[in-house]
Amino acid sequence: SQTIHQWPATLVQPVGSPLSLECTVEGTSNPNLYWYRQAAGRGLQLLFYSVGIGQISSEVPQNLSASRPQDRQFILSSKKLLLSDSGFYLCAWSSQGGYTFGSGTRLTVV
Amino acid sequence: AQSVSQHNHHVILSEAASLELGCNYSYGGTVNLFWYVQYPGQHLQLLLKYFSGDPLVKGIKGFEAEFIKSKFSFNLRKPSVQWSDTAEYFCALGGMNTGFQKLVFGTGTRLLVSP
């Protein structure tokens, strides 16, 4: 069966520190992968999506970047976190119209 | 560009009341439409989806939604809500862009059902 793993579940980081959130998918190959952010009162915002290894599309200008070094691995990064980067980050994958979401990472930048 | 609007940000109902949550979308091409629910402290879960065919879609837990193409709407309904339906509900649109579907969410509606 297909599963999606996302870690860590919670993270508290100081302003200016780097960030790396990892998402891995099992049980499927060549999935479309997504990073979403859920900020308080703003719903789910699509940040990045990827249709293949090394292929990243950014939806909104921001302080974050994404990479896909392997077929089933999707990484969200930042060199220097801002207070406004706080939020709930969700990884998702899709295949044939269906979507599966990870359990999310709650990031608090202090 | 594709977008989704959910005009009701907060809804408060008593148990057994009927529910209708509005969802309007903007997209010029073929659409797939979804409703997701997020219960407190839990993951996003799919309630129902529309790809094609019968515009009245039935989902889990007694929810249904109707796709009205002329109104660009996909409203979620439930005849009688329960306290356990307290959650945040998200409408989402998957627009086909050059064969790749990108899922865009509305801002969500927080539903509080009082016992």
Side-chain angles (χ1 to χ4, degrees):
Chain A
S1 62
Q2 299 99 356
T3 57
I4 182 168
H5 301 280
Q6 191 179 340
W7 67 92
T10 59
L11 191 60
V12 180
Q13 291 284 102
V15 169
S17 65
L19 172 74
S20 180
L21 300 181
E22 189 163 343
C23 172
T24 59
V25 180
E26 295 178 358
T28 186
S29 59
N30 196 31
N32 296 328
L33 296 171
Y34 308 79
W35 276 111
Y36 287 88
R37 177 170 58 202
Q38 188 176 16
R42 297 191 62 185
L44 280 153
Q45 182 183 36
L46 178 61
L47 302 177
F48 300 95
Y49 65 91
S50 171
V51 299
I53 296 174
Q55 300 179 62
I56 308 294
S57 296
S58 174
E59 282 296 292
V60 292
Q62 59 197 300
N63 183 45
L64 302 167
S65 62
S67 61
R68 187 169 177 175
Q70 299 180 46
D71 181 45
R72 289 171 285 178
Q73 184 185 30
F74 204 25
I75 298 172
L76 184 69
S77 305
S78 174
K79 292 181 180 178
K80 288 185 178 182
L81 284 169
L82 306 172
L83 285 174
S84 57
D85 292 325
S86 292
F88 189 63
Y89 291 83
L90 279 166
C91 179
W93 73 272
S94 74
S95 177
Q96 298 180 342
Y99 291 82
T100 301
F101 289 87
S103 53
T105 296
R106 184 160 300 283
L107 171 67
T108 304
V109 182
V110 296
Chain B
Q2 57 192 85
S3 65
V4 177
S5 297
Q6 290 180 249
H7 303 294
N8 311 108
H9 298 295
H10 292 90
V11 174
I12 301 175
L13 294 173
S14 300
E15 273 194 316
S18 64
L19 170 72
E20 181 161 3
L21 301 183
C23 172
N24 289 92
Y25 68 90
S26 175
Y27 188 69
T30 302
V31 297
N32 295 331
L33 293 160
F34 306 80
W35 275 99
Y36 283 88
V37 61
Q38 189 171 29
Y39 297 102
Q42 296 188 26
H43 307 174
L44 273 174
Q45 299 175 39
L46 180 66
L47 271 180
L48 48 79
K49 61 185 178 184
Y50 170 80
F51 282 7
S52 63
D54 188 346
L56 184 61
V57 181
K58 294 193 183 298
I60 60 171
K61 305 186 180 186
F63 286 91
E64 65 178 31
E66 186 174 10
F67 170 55
I68 303 179
K69 190 174 181 180
S70 60
K71 295 185 178 180
F72 298 92
S73 70
F74 190 57
N75 292 355
L76 181 71
R77 300 194 292 250
K78 186 171 184 179
S80 176
V81 295
Q82 301 171 314
W83 175 79
S84 57
D85 293 323
T86 293
E88 190 160 16
Y89 293 81
F90 294 93
C91 182
L93 162 69
M96 295 300 293
N97 299 305
T98 60
F100 169 72
Q101 180 175 239
K102 187 171 65 176
L103 194 65
V104 173
F105 286 83
T107 51
T109 298
R110 286 188 183 273
L111 171 66
L112 175 63
V113 180
S114 57

